[in-house]
Amino acid sequence: MLARRALPRLQQPSSHCPSHFYRRAYSKTELGNGVNIAYDLHEPPNQGDSRENAPPIIFVHGLFGAKKNNRSISRVLARDLKRPVYALDLRNHGDSSHHPRHDYNALAEDVELFLQQHRLKDATLIGHSMGAKTVMAVALRNRVPIANLIPIDNAPVDAALSSDFPKYTQAMRRIDETTITRQSEADAILKNYEESLPIRQFLLGNLSRQDDGTHKWQIPIKILSSALDNMADFPFTDPDVTRFEGPTLVVRGTKSRYVADEMLPVVGRFFPKFELVDVEAGHWVVSEKPEEFRKAVVEWLQDKE
């Protein structure tokens, strides 16, 4: 295991995504289980610079997130690593379809089927929070071959979610019960539950304007509210039975509690080749410190090539 190290804070580039960067409009894939998964495909800005048959990167968001939250970092990783990056919307999020089942085995199956249907081999799986447990579950289920794994600020343990998440669903339900015609009206309600403007903006990104001029949630609040206990759990409990032997980079925020020091022995038993990088941030590592995160991932993946 790599010793903990705090990355130096670097000045963030003035532009994450050059204007000539190539990105297709989002697409959807109907999986064999009936779920439609929406995704953005980010490719290097100069196709002539991309490596032939370069292994793909799959980027998965957290609870209440979406592919659009990872757009900037996906573009940067595609540019720096000259690899295609698929940013997914998991079921019940973003532009993907809704389904009453929402647990880590179901989410992992969606990712596995996506990889199979797109014939993506030697993939690097990156996931934040809920996405981190999802990609760890994919690795441990061992139903599709993957090259390496980068879980961000979550551990393979049963651990209660922050009390903020039930609070968010309560606020979202209240907004859903109100006729909202402007996003500022929803924000005024949400402000009673969350003081942080960036977090409120993150949550409000799930609002969608309807034909009648009202704003409604694009995500199924009832399904996700009922799934909060599932999101706290992890489907694997015995690392003596199953483990992932491939390279794994655990990125954690030093101000977050989701990957506490006492969890590291369990991480090591499930992922014996894991390395650890600390970023001076809270739970929202990528959005809080994008340059530190980029540097850690790019250096680690280049070292694995």
Side-chain angles (χ1 to χ4, degrees):
M1 184 187 78
L2 185 71
R4 271 193 299 160
R5 55 188 176 92
L7 294 171
R9 183 166 186 175
L10 303 178
Q11 184 174 357
Q12 186 172 332
S14 59
S15 174
H16 276 312
C17 44
S19 59
H20 57 281
F21 204 97
Y22 177 72
R23 181 181 70 86
R24 300 174 184 172
Y26 89 81
S27 304
K28 280 191 176 181
T29 293
E30 183 175 356
L31 305 178
N33 59 8
V35 174
N36 285 287
I37 291 294
Y39 66 96
D40 285 338
L41 172 57
H42 303 272
E43 296 184 304
N46 186 337
Q47 294 300 295
D49 288 344
S50 61
R51 293 176 292 155
E52 186 176 359
N53 299 320
I57 295 171
I58 311 299
F59 211 127
V60 183
H61 59 81
L63 186 61
F64 302 136
K67 62 184 181 300
K68 64 183 178 182
N69 302 129
N70 295 320
R71 187 169 294 158
S72 293
I73 191 64
S74 295
R75 289 168 172 167
V76 171
L77 293 178
R79 178 199 69 194
D80 291 353
L81 294 165
K82 297 180 174 58
R83 294 170 61 174
V85 179
Y86 293 79
L88 308 188
D89 278 339
L90 294 176
R91 63 169 65 192
N92 297 317
H93 288 78
D95 297 302
S96 290
S97 60
H98 300 171
H99 194 283
R101 182 180 175 188
H102 196 90
D103 57 54
Y104 287 116
N105 276 315
L107 296 174
E109 180 185 71
D110 291 346
V111 175
E112 293 161 0
L113 292 174
F114 184 88
L115 290 170
Q116 290 172 342
Q117 289 186 219
H118 286 264
R119 299 181 180 180
L120 300 176
K121 299 178 180 179
D122 300 321
T124 294
L125 304 189
I126 305 177
H128 170 251
S129 193
M130 175 185 74
K133 282 191 171 181
T134 298
V135 298
M136 286 188 284
V138 172
L140 294 173
R141 281 160 59 95
N142 194 30
R143 300 186 184 185
V144 292
I146 62 172
N148 39 50
L149 188 68
I150 305 178
I152 309 165
D153 212 56
N154 218 336
V157 298
D158 292 346
L161 293 179
S162 164
S163 59
D164 291 334
F165 287 100
K167 183 175 62 175
Y168 297 156
T169 59
Q170 183 181 357
M172 294 164 117
R173 282 177 177 268
R174 183 178 168 194
I175 291 169
D176 220 21
E177 295 165 355
T178 307
T179 301
I180 299 294
T181 58
R182 292 179 298 177
Q183 193 173 89
S184 59
E185 297 170 347
D187 185 55
I189 295 174
L190 191 56
K191 194 173 182 179
N192 295 318
Y193 297 83
E194 176 55 60
E195 293 182 359
S196 169
L197 177 59
I199 293 178
R200 296 203 310 272
Q201 290 173 331
F202 164 74
L203 295 171
L204 292 170
N206 289 296
L207 277 178
S208 176
R209 186 177 179 84
Q210 308 298 302
D211 291 339
D212 62 1
T214 62
H215 287 73
K216 296 293 182 182
W217 296 111
Q218 190 175 2
I219 55 177
I221 302 302
K222 185 175 181 180
I223 291 174
L224 293 177
S225 298
S226 301
L228 290 181
D229 287 343
N230 293 336
M231 297 299 92
D233 294 339
F234 190 67
F236 295 91
T237 58
D238 189 352
D240 291 328
V241 174
T242 182
R243 61 176 60 89
F244 175 66
E245 300 285 352
T248 301
L249 178 68
V250 176
V251 182
R252 69 172 178 177
T254 57
K255 301 175 184 177
S256 173
R257 63 171 183 79
Y258 281 97
V259 190
D261 285 345
E262 57 267 26
M263 299 175 184
L264 295 180
V266 177
V267 175
R269 292 183 66 200
F270 277 117
F271 305 99
K273 294 183 180 178
F274 94 96
E275 302 172 60
L276 178 69
V277 166
D278 280 351
V279 177
E280 189 178 348
H283 182 57
W284 311 95
V285 176
V286 180
S287 59
E288 289 181 45
K289 296 293 179 69
E291 175 57 16
E292 284 87 335
F293 176 78
R294 181 204 67 81
K295 185 173 185 291
V297 170
V298 169
E299 289 182 354
W300 188 77
L301 286 176
Q302 287 177 337
D303 183 60
K304 298 295 177 285
E305 293 176 354

